[in-house]
Each structure stands twice: as structure tokens, then as C-alpha cells.
């Protein structure tokens, strides 16, 4: 009982004293777990949303489609409706391929489903605003309507004829916008299309007015909803009929998320990596304090288990708090990320697997950050630990000799970097990660894409591309934020550690400007290899994810990104370096004699 | 001791036993071993030297305790000269201690000034000895002796620091007379 | 005294710490002139402000009031950068805690000021070797500070202070961390510097160091209370010190 109180007290005192480190760890873990949780749950959430939509709109299990019309097709479809596995059916109904124009300029391909004015038992699209079809009017699918910017009461032109929009509805019979066309005209390939409904007679009139392509569709509800494959195999006799199962549609829903998942998951990894580098640097700065504390506890008789608990609890507590925060954020932003179109309804939570993985990630980040100093603290003998002093940097005569040839700021920078090679590596990793993210954003933006408008016009933007770019940008901003925090912290920590030597240098005649530039150089010098490694790494990683016909980013852009990163690093280090370089010399010198 | 006794008479004429009492009080435990007759021997010598004079004798003429002694003008000059002397007794610090006490009691000089003057002198001597010591090759016998002298001087200088602190703090405390 | 001979001058120097009730005058209206070639020692009890005075003379702290001149130039109004340049040319510091860079060898420590002043590496290294020879550590040029004794470390620090041929060397308790033998080594070097005409200002509470000076200033509570020349020898000679001829 007493040891629990001790641990709590120590942790609270530490948190109060090391606020910056606590805030950094909390921020980094929150961001990393949120991203990772979002990425891991995307598919499941998408599936869950499809199922909820299917339930709400009484969606079918299988849709049988045929690009040809005629009595043969009709009778084949009708016989399907009487198959033993089928418990309910809707149709056959007409699907007409047309063009929809709104406000005179924005055009999109559209498939028009001809439905009865009173929806049946199966395939009852859920009307979210307005009313269901009436003669002379049309109901638009919600995702389509949102993309067009059309509401109830607006007028649209379909195949040259104006129709008022009388309602907006949601359905599971097609995949989300813009994959409303399940098969193309006459059974051929399909294009990005939206979905609209009209009355049966309106649909027939529309089709015959311009001799538009028509597909016949039949909605089926099976006794065993899961057995769609079996049903297809059993009835795949005619080449005229294509079967689309609900699983296929749900799968199609995730196409829009095809890049989102790797962006988020990989982004989560990179964020965790940056989190570890940043916090590890700070933890290394506290190594002496931790070693002394471990020595003290050993001297008063604490068990190794208790010591490890004391050393690790602070980080674990923060990591778990960050984990909880991150999961909450993921839960809140899930709908926007997993369902970029407005085509689906419902709510979805995070699965147990995701929560577990995210928590494990948070714990691993915490443990990795503090692993080195903790191990060192536990292994040092008690007497040595009690009088532990800062780890003396190793002497490297060739670096000293080399730096003597350089002007003063670089001399100081090189020597400062050499004192803590571990931190230099961390800074390089931080810079490399930032460069990877920026190059990824640039590459993504360089890809050509097809708009959702008529003939691929980008009047209607490619939602998938936008979604990807938005997510990528968000992840990059988060990465850059962490990298910025890391850089500032590294600079400040270096300055603190080296303050005695910097004070001596100032008494020997180094100006504050030279010291400040030296501190900046100490961060820039490791940044150079980071940038050099980051560019090819990012190209390599992107090639794993992008399509074969992806366009390569121009080299000039990547060089620009690398240069911008270096300049930004220099700018970020400037302020903390300047502050550190101007501290009064005398107190630092006197403090060292104590 | 002679000069110290003279200086004690500078304040006012005193009986022998009164002087002895003051000396004992000033020297504290170090004065226990003082011979009780010593003071009268000293006073007789001083009288012979013309530095003190016997003012009047109360009671029986043979009893020396009843004599009251006072300074002659020669004695006063001697006291003034003694106060400014910076010769250093070895290893008896009592004389300097008494000098300070007497100077303060008779308001003849500022004890803090006396200490400062003595300090300057000792520092000058330390400087000479040190220069001689630096000139000696390492490990020579003379160098060892010089090191001993340096240590003594340093110790005396520290005591003078303490004297200065004490006398600049309280004026009459130390003398206690 | 010729004005151009004065290396360091202070007028009405004041340094206060703290606010309101706890305001304390570390240096209280100090006037000081140090001519070329003089060795000045400032003595006093701890906390009397002598280290602060040294920092003010060397530009490591800014005075609250008064003026400081080094080599005829006013330094208390200089910017930090100008102060640093002044320190490169005119002032060498020696500290009680040596303040050597632990990862650099003795020679690398000594050449540091020259490198900071922009001299070429070869020049700086040559100069460092000469200085180490002067302080008697030529054979220890490649040793790290951790491999040197306290006295040797302080001698390296003195060599470093001399690297840019400063006008004045300011030493803050140079023998504070040293034993007797090491103190003598350092005193020997100070003697040699004195006879070479180097201006020295030493702050100390060690009487041995004070005794080597030409001029001794006593300080208490931020003020000078005594200013003596420790000139030629006592006529009695050394024999009198051990009872001979007394």
C-alpha cells in the first residue's frame, strides 16, 4: 500500500516538474493513436455503415442485372424471382442511362431507377428530405445530391428535360456515389455516375425520348443473406444476367478508401516514430536524475520491480491518457473519414481489436522512449548511481581537429553534434520523416485524375482524390507539428546541456551570435543526412502504394521540399538558440563550481 | 609584559592588585599560571626606570599592595611608542591581545587600525619568505624551514582577521575592564 | 600616472541584486585604477563582492551603476558582441573551477581562444604549444583534463588565458581548489608573469597569493576598506622571523 502511495507521489511531482516533456508525450501519443485507430477501423466502419443503410432501406441481398431488354430477359428474371432461396423480390425495374445537368454547366452521368410511387417491401430507399417520387419529379440519391450541391426544390435537367427535385434518399442497392452504375450501358463498362429515381412511367418516357440505354434490374432477398455466392453459382446460367451481391457492393464502398487506409496506418507509424524520437531525447536528458533516483531507492531497500515501476509509471500514465484521448478523437472523426460521401447513414464505433492495437502502440511508444535511461538506471550499482554524473561525451580527436579548420559557428556546431551522437541521429530521423511526408503530399498532388463530371470533367471533383489528399495533408501537418516540437526541444536540450561550455566559450571571446549559430548548426548538420536519406526513402515507400501508372514527382519539387525542410529547421532553431546564447554568463559559471 | 602593564596604567592610576586582577581577567585561563608576585616585580622595575611613579601609599609602608602607581610623562611616551610598534612576538600572542585591550580602554588608538597595521606588516614578511621559498630548489632543507615559517605567518594572519572582526563589532566587550 | 598606462579603470561601480526588501549591494561605489604591469590582489571574506567585481571588470556582468574602462575604452555600455570581441583581445580569465573542456586535450583547450579569434589552426596550435611550455606542461599537451592534477589543470587554464596576449589577466580565486604544492606552482607562474610585465588582477582569500602582489586591496560588504602597496623588504631581514638577532 505504501509503495503505491510512493509511486503516485513521485509521478505527480515529476509531472509537475517536467511539464514540457509530459505535454510532448501526451500530444504525440494522442495524435499517433488517433491516426492509427482511424486507419485500422476504416474497413470495418465502412462495412458497418453499409449494413445499417441496408437495414434502414430494406436493401436487397442480390441484384440481378441485364444489359439487354426483351421478353427473354424478362422471363429469365421472373424465373429467378421464383427460385427457392428467394423470400422476396422487387422488380424487374428499368434503369435508364442519361446525363444530368444542373445550373446549366455542371453535368454528370446518371442512372435513373424507375420505381413505383409506393415503395414495396424490398428496396425502400430511405427518404431523408422531401418526399418519394411523384410523376414529373425526381428523387436524387443523397451522395449525388451533395456532390452536385442540389437540394429539394431545385431543378435539374435530365436528358434535356427539366425535372424538379422532390426528395433526397439513401439506399444500399448501389454502392456509394459515384459508383451508382452497377453495369454499364448494354452490359459494357460503367462510368462514374450518380443515382436518381423517377416513377416507372417517367422512366419509360425518358428512355424512349432519346432512345437511351436501358438495363433491367431485379432485387432479391435471400433466405440466407450470406449465401449470395451459392445463389450466383446456382443460377449463373445465362450470360445475359449479372449478379451483384451485397457483399460486393459493400466491398465497392471501400474503393474510395483504398488509399486512405495506408495513408492513415503508415502515417500512424511515422507519427509514433517521431513521438519516440522526441520523447527519447528528453528522457535521455533526464538519465542522470533517473539513475540517482534508482540508486536511492535501491539503497533504501526497494525491489527491482518497484524501481522499474517508479521509473516507467510516469511515461505509461501519459501514454495511456494519450491513448484514451486519441481513441476519443478517432471515434468523433470516424464518420467524416470513413464515409466521405453522404451516401451512407448510421453510426459506428471502434472495434475491440482497434482499441487493443492502439493501446499496445501507445504503451510501446512510452516504453521505447524511456528504455535506454531506465535500463541504465536499473543496471548501475547503487553506490555509483547515487553520485551519478552526466555521461561524458567520448573524445574524438579527428572531429576536434577537423572542426578547428572551420569558422567559429561551424566549429561549435560540429563539436556540439559530436558530443551527443545519439541525439544527432534522432534529429536526422525527425528530418527524414518530415521530408518523406512532404514528398508524399507532393506526389499525391501530382497524380492526374478523372473528375466525376460528364466525360471525366472536373466540374464535379474526384472525391476519392480529394479525400486522399485531405487525409495526406492532415497527416503531414501532424508530422510536421511533431517534427517542429522535436526540433525546438532538441535545440533547447542541447543548449541546456552545453551551457557550461558555452559560457566558457563566451568568456574566451565567442559572441552570442556565434554561439547561437553554433547551436543552430548542431541541429542542421544532422538534418542534412536526414534529408538526403529521406528523399529516396519516400520514393521507395510511395512506389509500394501507388498504382503502376502513377506519375513521378518532378525532381525539382522534391529538391525544393528538401531545401524547405532545411530552411525551416534553421528558422525553428533560431529562437531557442538565440535565447540560450544570451543568458548571463556569470551565474552559469558560478553554478558549475558548486 | 612590562609594556602591557604600562599601557594598563594609561587609563588611570591603579593598585598593584587591581592591575593583576585586570591582567588575569584579560588573559582568561592563560593567565592562571601568572605568578602573583610577578606584577609587583614589574612595577618596581618600571619605577626604577622612571616610567611609573608611586603616587601615594595607603596604610603600612612595607605592604606593596597598598601602593598606587601612575604613569610618568616618560611612561606615557613609552606607551605611545609601544602602540605603534609592529614587532611581532613569537609565539606569545598575549602581548598583542593586551595591546588591543589597553588601547581600547584608554582610547589611545583604534584597535581595528592597529590590527590592520599589523596585518600589513605580516603580509610583507609573508611576501619575502614566499619569494625566498620559490627561489629554493624543491626538497631542500631550507625550503622546509621556510614552509614552516609561511604556515605560522598564515595562521597568525587568520587570527588577525578574527581580531579585526571582533574589534570592529564590539568596542568594550573583549577588554571587559 | 600617465592616463594611457592605465589598463583597467572603474568609477563609482555599483552592482545590486534583488528587489525591494532583499536588495543587496554586491559592489558599492568602487573606484579602481590598475596601471600597466601591476599585480593587484583583492582580498576579503566570502560574500564581500570580490568575484562580482572581477566579473564587472571583465564584462561578464553589467554594472547597475558606474563606469568601467578597459584599455581606454568604455566597456559597460558595449553590446554583448562587442564585449566578446573585447574579451578576445584584452582580457584573459582564470577561474577557481578551471572550467576546461573535458573532452579536449590540454593543447586543444589552450588553442581555443585563438581559434575563436579567427586565427588559423596552425597558428593557434603553435601558440598553444609555446604557452604550455611556458607554464611547464609541454610534455602533457595531449593529456585530457581528467588525467591532470588540479595544479596542472589550473596551469593549463592560465596558459589558455594568455592565448590571445591579453592586456590584463583576471583571476578569480585561482588557488581555491588547490593544495599547497599546486598553489606554489601557480604562484611561481604568477611571479613569472609579473616579471614579464603582465597586468594581473587576482581575487583571493588566500594570504599567500595576496602576499605576492604589488598592491593589496581589502574589500568588505562591497566596498574597498584598505589599499596598500606591499613594497620593499623589512629592514630586519628574514632572520628576525625565527628569533635570530632579536
Amino acid at each position: 500500500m505504501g509503495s503505491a502511495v510512493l509511486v503516485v507521489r513521485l509521478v505527480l511531482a515529476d509531472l509537475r516538474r517536467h511539464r514540457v516533456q509530459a505535454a510532448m508525450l501526451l500530444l504525440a501519443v494522442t495524435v499517433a493513436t488517433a491516426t492509427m485507430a482511424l486507419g485500422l477501423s476504416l474497413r470495418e466502419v465502412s462495412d458497418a455503415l453499409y449494413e445499417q443503410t441496408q437495414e434502414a432501406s430494406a436493401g436487397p441481398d442480390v441484384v440481378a442485372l441485364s444489359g439487354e431488354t426483351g421478353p427473354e430477359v424478362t422471363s429469365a428474371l421472373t424465373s429467378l424471382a421464383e427460385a427457392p432461396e428467394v423470400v422476396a423480390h422487387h422488380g424487374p425495374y428499368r434503369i435508364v442511362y442519361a446525363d444530368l445537368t444542373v445550373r446549366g454547366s455542371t453535368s454528370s452521368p446518371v442512372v435513373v431507377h424507375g420505381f413505383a410511387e409506393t415503395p414495396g417491401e424490398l428496396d425502400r430507399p430511405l427518404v431523408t428530405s422531401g418526399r418519394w417520387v411523384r410523376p414529373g419529379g425526381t428523387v436524387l440519391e443523397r451522395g449525388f445530391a451533395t456532390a452536385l450541391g442540389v437540394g429539394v426544390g431545385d431543378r435539374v435537367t435530365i436528358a434535356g428535360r427539366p425535372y424538379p427535385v422532390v426528395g433526397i434518399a439513401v439506399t444500399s442497392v448501389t454502392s456509394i456515389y459515384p459508383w451508382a452504375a452497377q453495369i454499364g450501358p448494354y452490359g459494357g463498362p460503367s462510368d462514374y455516375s450518380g443515382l436518381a429515381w423517377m416513377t416507372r412511367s417517367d422512366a419509360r418516357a425518358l428512355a424512349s425520348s432519346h432512345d437511351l440505354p436501358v438495363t433491367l434490374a431485379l432485387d432479391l432477398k435471400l433466405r440466407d443473406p450470406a449465401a449470395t455466392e451459392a445463389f450466383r453459382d446456382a443460377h449463373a446460367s445465362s450470360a445475359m444476367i449479372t449478379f451483384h451481391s451485397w457483399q460486393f457492393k459493400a466491398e465497392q464502398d471501400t474503393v474510395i478508401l483504398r488509399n486512405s487506409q495506408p495513408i492513415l496506418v503508415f502515417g500512424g507509424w511515422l507519427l509514433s516514430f517521431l513521438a519516440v524520437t522526441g520523447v527519447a531525447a528528453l528522457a535521455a536528458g533526464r538519465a542522470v536524475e533517473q539513475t540517482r533516483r534508482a540508486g536511492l531507492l535501491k539503497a533504501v531497500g526497494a525491489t527491482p520491480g518497484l524501481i522499474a515501476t517508479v521509473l516507467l509509471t510516469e511515461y505509461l500514465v501519459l501514454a495511456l491518457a494519450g491513448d484514451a484521448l486519441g481513441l476519443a478523437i478517432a471515434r468523433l472523426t470516424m464518420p467524416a473519414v470513413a464515409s466521405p460521401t453522404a451516401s451512407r447513414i448510421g453510426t459506428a464505433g471502434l472495434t475491440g481489436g482497434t482499441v487493443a492495437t492502439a493501446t499496445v502502440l501507445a504503451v510501446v511508444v512510452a516504453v521505447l522512449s524511456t528504455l535506454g535511461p531506465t535500463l541504465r538506471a536499473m543496471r548501475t550499482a547503487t553506490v555509483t548511481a547515487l553520485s551519478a554524473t552526466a555521461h561524458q561525451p567520448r573524445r574524438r580527436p579527428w572531429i576536434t581537429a577537423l572542426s578547428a579548420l572551420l569558422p567559429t559557428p561551424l566549429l561549435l556546431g560540429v563539436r556540439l553534434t559530436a558530443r551527443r551522437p545519439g541525439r544527432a541521429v534522432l534529429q536526422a530521423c525527425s528530418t527524414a520523416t518530415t521530408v518523406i511526408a512532404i514528398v508524399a503530399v507532393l506526389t499525391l498532388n501530382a497524380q492526374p485524375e478523372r473528375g466525376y463530371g460528364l466525360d471525366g470533367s472536373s466540374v464535379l471533383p474526384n472525391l476519392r482524390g480529394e479525400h486522399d489528399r485531405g487525409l495526406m495533408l492532415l497527416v503531414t501537418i501532424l508530422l510536421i507539428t511533431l517534427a517542429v516540437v522535436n526540433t525546438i526541444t532538441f535545440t533547447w536540450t542541447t543548449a541546456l546541456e552545453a551551457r557550461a561550455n558555452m559560457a566558457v566559450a563566451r568568456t574566451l571571446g565567442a559572441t552570442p551570435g556565434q554561439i547561437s549559430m553554433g547551436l543552430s548548426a548542431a541541429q542542421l548538420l544532422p538534418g542534412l543526412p536526414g534529408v538526403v536519406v529521406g528523399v529516396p526513402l519516400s520514393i521507395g515507400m510511395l512506389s509500394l502504394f501507388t498504382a503502376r501508372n502513377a506519375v513521378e514527382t518532378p525532381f525539382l519539387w522534391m529538391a525544393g521540399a528538401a531545401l524547405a525542410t532545411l530552411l525551416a529547421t534553421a528558422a525553428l532553431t533560431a529562437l531557442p538558440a538565440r535565447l540560450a546564447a544570451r543568458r548571463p554568463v556569470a551565474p552559469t559559471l558560478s553554478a558549475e563550481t558548486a | 609584559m612590562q609594556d602591557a602593564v604600562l599601557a594598563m596604567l594609561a587609563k588611570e592610576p591603579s593598585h598593584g592588585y587591581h592591575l593583576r586582577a585586570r591582567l588575569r581577567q584579560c588573559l582568561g585561563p592563560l593567565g592562571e599560571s601568572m605568578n602573583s608576585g610577578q606584577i609587583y616585580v614589574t612595577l618596581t622595575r618600571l619605577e626604577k626606570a622612571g616610567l611609573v611613579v608611586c603616587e601615594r601609599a595607603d596604610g603600612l609602608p612595607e605592604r606593596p599592595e597598598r601602593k598606587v602607581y601612575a604613569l610618568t610623562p616618560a611612561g606615557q611616551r613609552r606607551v605611545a611608542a609601544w602602540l605603534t610598534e609592529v614587532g611581532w612576538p613569537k609565539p606569545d600572542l598575549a602581548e598583542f591581545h593586551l595591546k588591543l585591550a589597553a588601547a581600547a580602554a584608554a582610547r589611545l588608538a583604534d584597535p581595528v587600525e592597529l590590527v590592520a597595521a599589523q596585518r600589513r606588516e605580516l603580509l610583507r614578511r609573508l611576501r619575502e619568505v614566499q619569494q625566498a621559498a620559490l627561489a629554493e630548489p624543491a626538497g631542500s632543507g631550507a625550503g622546509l624551514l621556510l614552509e614552516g615559517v609561511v604556515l605560522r605567518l598564515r595562521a597568525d594572519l587568520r587570527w588577525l582577521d578574527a581580531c579585526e572582526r571582533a574589534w570592529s563589532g564590539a568596542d568594550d566587550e573583549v577588554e571587559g575592564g | 600616472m600617465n592616463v594611457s598606462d592605465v589598463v583597467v579603470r572603474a568609477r563609482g561601480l555599483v552592482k545590486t541584486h534583488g528587489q525591494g526588501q532583499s536588495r543587496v549591494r554586491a559592489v558599492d561605489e568602487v573606484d579602481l585604477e590598475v596601471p600597466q604591469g601591476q599585480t593587484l590582489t583583492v582580498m576579503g571574506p566570502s560574500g564581500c563582492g570580490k568575484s562580482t567585481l572581477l566579473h564587472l571588470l571583465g564584462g561578464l556582468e553589467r554594472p547597475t551603476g558606474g563606469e568601467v574602462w578597459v584599455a581606454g575604452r568604455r566597456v559597460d555600455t558595449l553590446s554583448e558582441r562587442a564585449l566578446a570581441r573585447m574579451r578576445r583581445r584584452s582580457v584573459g580569465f582564470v577561474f577557481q573551477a578551471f572550467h576546461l573542456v573535458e573532452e579536449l586535450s590540454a593543447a586543444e583547450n589552450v588553442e581555443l581562444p585563438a581559434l575563436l579569434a579567427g586565427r588559423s589552426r596552425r597558428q593557434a596550435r603553435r601558440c598553444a604549444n609555446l604557452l604550455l611550455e611556458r607554464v611547464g606542461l609541454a610534455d602533457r599537451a595531449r593529456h585530457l583534463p581528467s588525467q591532470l592534477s588540479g595544479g596542472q589543470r589550473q596551469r593549463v587554464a592560465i596558459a589558455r588565458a594568455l592565448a590571445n596576449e591579453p592586456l590584463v589577466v583576471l583571476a578569480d580565486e585561482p588557488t581555491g581548489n588547490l593544495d599547497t604544492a599546486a598553489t606554489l606552482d601557480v604562484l611561481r607562474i604568477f611571479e613569472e608573469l609579473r616579471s614579464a610585465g603582465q597586468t594581473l588582477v587576482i581575487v583571493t582569500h588566500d594570504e599567500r597569493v595576496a602576499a605576492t602582489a604589488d598592491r593589496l586591496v581589502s574589500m568588505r560588504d562591497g566596498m574597498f576598506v584598505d589599499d596598500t602597496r606591499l613594497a620593499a623588504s623589512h629592514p630586519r631581514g628574514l632572520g628576525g622571523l625565527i628569533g635570530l638577532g632579536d
Side-chain angles (χ1 to χ4, degrees):
Chain A
M1 191 59 226
S3 48
V5 170
L6 168 72
V7 171
V8 167
R9 246 186 233 153
L10 283 175
V11 166
L12 284 178
D14 273 347
L15 285 178
R16 263 197 294 269
R17 217 156 22 121
H18 299 276
R19 280 178 233 246
V20 170
Q21 183 183 339
M24 261 185 77
L25 181 56
L26 191 64
L27 170 72
V29 170
T30 306
V31 159
T33 47
T35 314
M36 188 64 90
L38 276 174
L40 291 175
S41 324
L42 275 183
R43 297 198 85 93
E44 277 137 4
V45 168
S46 178
D47 289 343
L49 289 178
Y50 180 85
E51 282 175 24
Q52 289 178 47
T53 311
Q54 187 184 33
E55 224 180 272
S57 64
D61 296 324
V62 175
V63 177
L65 300 147
S66 174
E68 302 178 25
T69 53
E72 231 184 83
V73 177
T74 319
S75 62
L77 288 176
T78 321
S79 62
L80 266 181
E82 283 145 21
E85 302 97 320
V86 175
V87 296
H89 73 274
H90 166 248
Y93 56 91
R94 215 175 246 105
I95 300 181
V96 185
Y97 296 82
D99 295 326
L100 181 147
T101 311
V102 70
R103 290 184 291 274
S105 51
T106 313
S107 300
S108 165
V110 67
V111 290
V112 179
H113 288 201
F115 269 48
E117 282 181 64
T118 326
E121 185 193 296
L122 185 65
D123 200 351
R124 268 199 319 264
L126 180 70
V127 176
T128 57
S129 55
R131 47 156 293 166
W132 188 233
V133 292
R134 64 158 171 76
T138 178
V139 171
L140 295 183
E141 192 261 331
R142 193 169 72 167
F144 189 35
T146 314
L148 288 172
V150 163
V152 175
D154 293 339
R155 299 191 81 81
V156 298
T157 312
I158 302 181
R161 297 168 80 172
Y163 292 87
V165 175
V166 299
I168 314 266
V170 163
T171 182
S172 72
V173 80
T174 62
S175 301
I176 56 176
Y177 172 75
W179 291 285
Q182 297 160 80
I183 60 174
Y186 310 116
S190 61
D191 199 359
Y192 294 134
S193 310
L195 174 61
W197 293 273
M198 288 184 190
T199 59
R200 296 187 125 104
S201 42
D202 280 347
R204 187 172 41 233
L206 180 70
S208 54
S209 67
H210 295 275
D211 203 17
L212 298 170
V214 168
T215 295
L216 282 180
L218 176 71
D219 298 331
L220 299 167
K221 186 169 170 67
L222 301 179
R223 183 161 299 135
D224 180 9
T228 51
E229 276 300 308
F231 182 80
R232 181 216 305 268
D233 294 337
H235 299 272
S237 49
S238 161
M240 293 183 300
I241 300 188
T242 318
F243 293 91
H244 281 194
S245 62
W246 68 267
Q247 290 97 333
F248 177 77
K249 294 178 201 301
E251 180 69 32
Q252 186 70 21
D253 275 4
T254 64
V255 166
I256 203 171
L257 301 173
R258 185 170 296 154
N259 284 344
S260 307
Q261 185 157 34
I263 288 176
L264 286 172
V265 170
F266 200 60
W269 283 119
L270 287 181
L271 285 168
S272 312
F273 184 59
L274 273 189
V276 170
T277 57
V279 178
L282 284 181
R286 285 175 62 189
V288 176
E289 177 198 319
Q290 297 284 63
T291 311
R292 283 209 194 123
R293 172 174 289 173
L296 179 64
L297 289 172
K298 270 189 244 193
V300 300
T303 61
L306 178 62
I307 297 175
T309 312
V310 166
L311 293 178
L312 289 174
T313 304
E314 181 193 342
Y315 295 87
L316 284 175
V317 160
L318 286 170
L320 290 173
D323 177 46
L325 254 179
L327 289 173
I329 293 178
R331 176 71 183 80
L332 286 173
T333 54
M334 182 65 76
V337 173
S339 181
T341 66
S343 299
R344 294 280 172 253
I345 57 162
T347 60
L350 301 166
T351 62
T354 308
V355 170
T357 313
T359 310
V360 164
L361 177 72
V363 167
V364 164
V365 164
V367 169
L368 276 183
S369 315
T370 182
L371 194 63
T374 305
L375 279 181
R376 183 168 158 236
M378 306 267 315
R379 280 204 294 238
T380 315
T382 312
V383 172
T384 326
L386 284 172
S387 56
T389 49
H391 174 64
Q392 283 301 349
R394 251 211 322 239
R395 173 167 163 66
R396 284 168 232 267
W398 58 275
I399 286 194
T400 316
L402 177 70
S403 59
L405 297 167
L406 300 167
T408 304
L410 281 176
L411 182 157
L412 294 172
V414 167
R415 290 191 184 179
L416 280 172
T417 310
R419 290 184 100 228
R420 293 268 182 257
R423 188 170 309 139
V425 169
L426 291 176
Q427 173 72 35
C429 291
S430 212
T431 317
T433 314
T434 318
V435 167
I436 290 177
I438 297 181
V439 169
V441 166
L442 289 176
T443 307
L444 210 57
N445 278 12
Q447 303 308 319
E449 60 189 11
R450 225 174 118 79
Y452 288 169
L454 198 59
D455 296 323
S457 119
S458 51
V459 156
L460 288 175
N462 185 319
L463 288 178
R464 177 169 146 203
E466 276 195 357
H467 188 63
D468 290 345
R469 281 193 296 275
L471 279 182
M472 187 75 230
L473 190 64
L474 177 69
V475 167
T476 306
I477 288 177
L478 290 175
L479 280 171
I480 290 180
T481 309
L482 281 192
V484 163
V485 171
N486 278 3
T487 304
I488 295 181
T489 321
F490 289 164
T491 313
W492 190 250
T493 315
T494 309
L496 271 185
E497 273 188 1
R499 65 184 179 280
N501 280 349
M502 294 297 112
V504 170
R506 282 184 65 193
T507 67
L508 296 177
T511 65
Q514 287 172 323
I515 305 263
S516 166
M517 281 198 280
L519 284 171
S520 284
Q523 303 307 127
L524 273 176
L525 286 169
L528 277 171
V531 159
V532 164
V533 163
V535 170
L537 254 185
S538 64
I539 297 176
M541 280 196 259
L542 281 173
S543 66
L544 292 173
F545 295 111
T546 52
R548 265 176 293 276
N549 59 350
V551 168
E552 252 187 39
T553 331
F555 185 72
L556 208 58
W557 287 14
M558 292 198 277
L563 190 62
T565 310
L566 283 176
L567 287 176
T569 310
L572 282 172
T573 60
L575 186 60
R578 199 184 139 82
L579 283 177
R582 273 167 209 279
R583 287 169 129 210
V585 172
T588 317
L589 288 173
S590 330
E592 292 308 308
T593 63
Chain B
M1 185 59 71
Q2 279 191 336
D3 292 307
V5 171
L6 267 182
M8 290 207 148
L9 284 173
K11 185 179 178 186
E12 63 200 354
S14 300
H15 288 110
Y17 73 82
H18 190 58
L19 281 173
R20 192 179 67 206
R22 275 176 66 191
L23 275 172
R24 275 242 177 87
Q25 190 180 28
C26 234
L27 293 173
L30 291 171
E32 299 286 328
S33 56
M34 193 174 74
N35 189 341
S36 46
Q38 177 74 25
I39 188 79
Y40 298 103
V41 170
T42 311
L43 283 168
T44 316
R45 270 207 211 125
L46 287 171
E47 197 179 0
K48 282 213 179 80
L51 297 171
V52 303
V53 72
C54 183
E55 272 195 353
R56 58 188 162 85
D58 305 327
L60 302 173
E62 296 80 34
R63 302 293 300 249
E65 312 85 86
R66 291 283 167 241
K67 289 191 184 171
V68 175
Y69 293 87
L71 281 182
T72 62
Q76 275 165 351
R77 282 196 298 276
R78 173 78 197 120
V79 169
W82 180 65
L83 281 176
T84 57
E85 261 179 31
V86 284
W88 193 237
K90 334 155 267 315
D92 182 12
L93 307 172
E95 194 175 308
F96 187 74
H97 182 68
L98 291 171
K99 182 191 284 193
L100 294 180
R107 301 202 197 289
L108 289 170
D110 180 8
V112 178
E113 280 299 322
L114 295 180
V115 172
Q118 191 66 69
R119 240 179 109 240
R120 281 194 282 268
E121 168 60 21
L122 286 195
L123 279 170
R124 286 195 192 99
R125 295 193 190 187
L126 179 60
R127 181 195 169 90
E128 281 175 45
V129 177
Q130 205 152 251
Q131 276 172 339
L134 286 176
E136 286 289 323
S140 80
L144 185 59
L145 177 58
L146 287 170
E147 189 180 329
V149 177
V150 166
L151 282 170
R152 285 271 174 88
L153 284 172
R154 288 183 71 196
D156 290 339
L157 278 166
R158 294 224 182 110
W159 182 63
L160 286 179
D161 275 341
C163 289
E164 189 194 3
R165 276 197 298 276
W167 280 101
S168 52
D171 273 348
D172 297 291
E173 308 280 67
V174 177
E175 198 242 343
Chain C
M1 186 178 358
N2 194 347
V3 167
S4 62
D5 270 342
V6 172
V7 171
V8 177
R9 184 208 308 270
R11 281 266 170 279
L13 206 50
V14 175
K15 178 79 180 168
T16 52
H17 293 306
Q19 307 275 5
Q21 285 285 52
S22 56
R23 177 169 293 191
V24 127
R25 281 199 160 194
V27 175
D28 196 351
E29 302 282 341
V30 162
D31 292 336
L32 178 64
E33 276 183 13
V34 184
Q36 168 100 33
Q38 183 178 81
T39 301
L40 168 73
T41 314
V42 180
M43 273 195 83
S46 59
C48 70
K50 44 194 204 298
S51 288
T52 312
L53 176 64
L54 206 70
H55 292 165
L56 290 171
L57 292 179
L60 292 184
E61 281 188 62
R62 283 200 192 278
T64 323
E67 298 149 359
V68 181
W69 282 276
V70 172
R73 273 187 73 201
R74 181 99 183 264
V75 300
D76 55 288
T77 50
L78 290 180
S79 69
E80 280 297 332
R81 180 201 264 171
L83 272 176
R85 285 207 284 260
M86 183 272 291
R87 261 180 251 129
R88 264 182 232 167
R89 287 192 298 265
S90 316
V91 173
F93 273 97
V94 178
F95 298 102
Q96 178 175 1
F98 325 131
H99 286 310
L100 298 175
V101 180
E102 296 293 326
E103 315 90 81
L104 298 181
S105 70
E108 284 160 359
N109 264 293
V110 174
E111 73 182 359
L112 202 48
L115 287 178
L116 289 175
R119 309 242 287 270
S120 80
R121 181 159 177 272
R122 189 174 320 160
Q123 253 189 326
R125 180 50 66 99
R126 197 170 351 123
C127 168
N129 286 332
L130 281 174
L131 284 168
L132 282 173
E133 215 178 290
R134 193 168 162 195
V135 300
L137 286 174
D139 54 335
R140 303 245 196 246
R142 302 170 89 109
H143 286 218
L144 293 180
S146 53
Q147 297 164 324
L148 298 173
S149 72
Q152 288 167 334
R153 277 189 238 178
Q154 192 64 298
R155 283 192 274 162
V156 172
I158 295 174
R160 180 181 69 183
L162 296 169
N164 282 336
E165 290 169 22
L167 288 173
V168 61
V169 171
L170 301 177
D172 189 354
E173 303 274 9
T175 57
N177 287 0
L178 303 180
D179 61 19
T180 311
T183 304
L184 276 182
D185 288 337
V186 169
L187 288 179
R188 207 170 268 127
I189 297 181
F190 281 157
E191 265 304 315
E192 191 251 310
L193 288 178
R194 237 189 70 214
S195 45
Q198 175 75 49
T199 314
L200 288 168
V201 177
I202 308 174
V203 155
T204 187
H205 63 259
D206 187 338
E207 311 83 10
R208 292 172 293 179
V209 180
T212 61
D214 300 322
R215 180 174 157 208
L216 172 64
V217 164
S218 298
M219 205 166 164
R220 169 169 296 135
D221 294 329
M223 289 190 286
F224 284 178
V225 296
D226 198 24
D227 189 339
T228 328
R229 306 272 146 172
L230 293 182
S233 48
H234 193 271
R236 209 155 44 165
L238 290 177
L241 290 167
I242 46 175
L244 294 180
D246 184 3

